[in-house]
Structures are given as structure tokens and as C-alpha cells.
Amino acid sequence: MPEAPQVEHASAAVNAEELRKRLTSRVVRRFLAYGATFAVMAAVPPLLVQSGAFDGTWHWLVYVTAPFTGIGILGLLAVLLYKLPPAVVVTRACRKALRQYSFEEFWPQVVKKDGKQATRGRPELTLRLKNADGTRSPLLRVLEVPSRGRRRDPWPEGIENGVWVAGDLPFGAIAFVPGSGALLLLHPEKWDRLASERESAGRDRIARAERAGLARRVF
């Protein structure tokens, strides 16, 4: 695996174990916020109608608030059935990888590229890492964990200033963006083309990648 020059000790920059523990709480808080918002939208209007709060001169508010009930129900179902399962899978993959790897490499140059294909209205993001001596990483697909809303800038703030990487890039890795604290799951864009490099990586690297869950395509 290419090594970045003049790498600082990982403990001075990012503690992988601490970040692994924080990851789950970040994802849980995100989904609790989504779920609570939609649950309130779904439940409050019917409760107000049953309580008689819209009787009399305020009866017209029933028609105003009724659509929120439908939006809340659909939103809650989308979170539980559509958003939550993949988030659990990706979070588990990141936690598993961070048990095996620490942030031992800092890549100061990040070349951002937008994927050619669109996924649910957003481009598939890819990037390439470079260091001062010209070493380049494979082209890597990017998935932020937890994911953010579609309308926001898909690139984490400060990523152009470099990232800490934990992993083995031909297999995959976790990147930490110091400028914003964002956590990224990285996966080789040309997975099949790197098969020979993974096979020749050596027994120890392959076994470590298998324990980290990176020896197969993650996303």
C-alpha cells in the first residue's frame, strides 16, 4: 500500500477507537431526529382533532394540518424501511474496519471527482488521494457516514486540505476529515482491476482486510 511521507503518529491526530465508539451515537442521533420529526407530524394533527382543539372557529385548521399527517407517516416509513437498513450495514462496516486499522497515514492532497452516474438524484462521488512525492491512490468511491441531505454540498467541508486514512486502499479504507470531523467510507472504484494487487498483498494484509470486512465489495 502506498505510504504518505512524514506521517505523524496516529494517536496525535485521530484516535480510531474513540471515533468508532462515537460513530454509532452519531448515526443513532441522526435517525432519532428524523424519526421524531416525522412521528410528530403524523401524530399531532389527529390528536388535536380528537381533543376538540379545532372545534368552532378553528375548524379550518383541520384541512391545513391534514397533509402533515400523510407526510409524517410516509416519512416515518421511508426512514424505517428505506434509510435505516443501509445505514446500519454501512455503520457496521465502518466499525468493523476501525477495529483493525488506525489512522496512520495523512494524505495532504484530495482530488475531488463527481461520478458519471447518478444515485437517487445525487452523483456517485469519487476521489483520488495524492501525497507530496507524487504517489497516488486508486480512484475511490466515497460514502459519508452518516449520510447528509441531498440539498447540501455532497463534499465535507475542509476535505481539500487532506484526510487521515485508516485501511488498505486496494481493499478499502475509512477517511477522517480534520476540518469538519466527517467520516468517509472509501471503496475502490475499479474493484475488479485491483484483484491481482489484492491477491498479491500477502497473507497478513489479506487476513487483516478479511477481519475488517474489506476483502469484498462493500458498496
Side-chain angles (χ1 to χ4, degrees):
M1 184 174 70
E3 295 184 354
Q6 300 179 351
V7 175
E8 299 179 18
H9 195 271
S11 61
V14 185
N15 187 309
E17 179 63 20
E18 180 182 348
L19 189 57
R20 185 182 70 83
K21 293 177 180 179
R22 285 166 42 197
L23 174 61
T24 301
S25 63
R26 289 169 64 179
V27 175
V28 169
R29 286 198 303 269
R30 178 69 57 86
F31 277 92
L32 283 177
Y34 287 151
T37 299
F38 288 123
V40 169
M41 292 175 64
V44 169
L47 290 176
L48 290 175
V49 171
Q50 292 179 4
S51 69
F54 291 155
D55 292 345
T57 58
W58 298 99
H59 65 88
W60 56 272
L61 284 177
V62 173
Y63 304 101
V64 175
T65 59
F68 289 96
T69 300
I71 294 173
I73 293 173
L74 291 176
L76 197 57
L77 289 175
V79 168
L80 294 176
L81 302 179
Y82 175 69
K83 293 286 188 180
L84 186 58
V88 170
V89 171
V90 171
T91 302
R92 183 175 179 273
C94 290
R95 287 176 55 87
K96 198 172 180 180
L98 290 174
R99 285 194 183 99
Q100 299 298 323
Y101 298 99
S102 58
F103 292 94
E104 298 174 349
E105 294 183 343
F106 182 77
W107 293 78
Q109 300 179 46
V110 177
V111 181
K112 298 184 290 186
K113 300 177 180 292
D114 288 341
K116 295 181 180 180
Q117 299 178 349
T119 303
R120 300 183 183 93
R122 297 192 68 182
E124 292 181 352
L125 301 178
T126 57
L127 57 76
R128 193 182 298 277
L129 305 174
K130 296 182 180 180
N131 58 31
D133 66 5
T135 302
R136 303 196 314 166
S137 74
L139 188 64
L140 300 165
R141 290 181 62 186
V142 181
L143 185 63
E144 186 171 357
V145 185
S147 62
R148 297 182 295 167
R150 296 182 182 181
R151 296 184 179 180
R152 303 177 65 177
D153 183 353
W155 292 103
E157 182 181 356
I159 192 173
E160 62 278 357
N161 297 322
V163 296
W164 285 93
V165 174
D168 195 336
L169 293 179
F171 295 91
I174 310 297
F176 178 78
V177 185
S180 59
L183 193 70
L184 310 175
L185 178 59
L186 305 180
H187 191 279
E189 172 73 8
K190 307 296 183 181
W191 176 260
D192 293 335
R193 291 186 183 180
L194 296 176
S196 60
E197 185 173 348
R198 290 192 296 271
E199 291 170 359
S200 61
R203 184 180 302 175
D204 291 342
R205 283 177 61 189
I206 294 174
R208 191 179 187 188
E210 289 176 346
R211 291 194 300 271
L214 297 176
R216 58 182 178 80
R217 188 186 294 273
V218 179
F219 68 96

